[in-house]
Amino acid sequence: MSYPVVSNLQYRLTESNGETTIKFRHAALGLIQEDHRKGVSTGWSQINERVRKQAEAFRARQATAQ
């Protein structure tokens, strides 16, 4: 991004029945180009999928170590 933007990312972790859920809230303010705006959902989907896979792999390693 090579234009002025202010961005804020919040996340919240909640535990329920032995599972942790992470919720993201992303807000941005500025001159955001339309093509960049359209790609944000795809980018966040990819990031969320990577985080999920890493968390599940970590959990599996912990279970085998015990």
Side-chain angles (χ1 to χ4, degrees), residues 21-50:
T21 301
I22 186 169
K23 292 184 181 182
F24 290 99
R25 177 176 166 80
H26 179 223
L29 177 65
L31 303 172
I32 303 169
Q33 296 174 359
E34 189 59 31
D35 60 332
H36 191 106
R37 186 186 313 263
K38 289 178 182 177
V40 169
S41 293
T42 302
W44 277 113
S45 294
Q46 292 171 355
I47 290 169
N48 288 338
E49 183 64 15
R50 274 197 324 254

Side-chain angles (χ1 to χ4, degrees), residues 11 13 15 19 23-24 31 34 47 58 62-65:
Y11 67 92
L13 300 171
E15 188 273 331
E19 295 185 357
K23 292 184 181 182
F24 290 99
L31 303 172
E34 189 59 31
I47 290 169
F58 179 77
Q62 281 189 319
T64 58

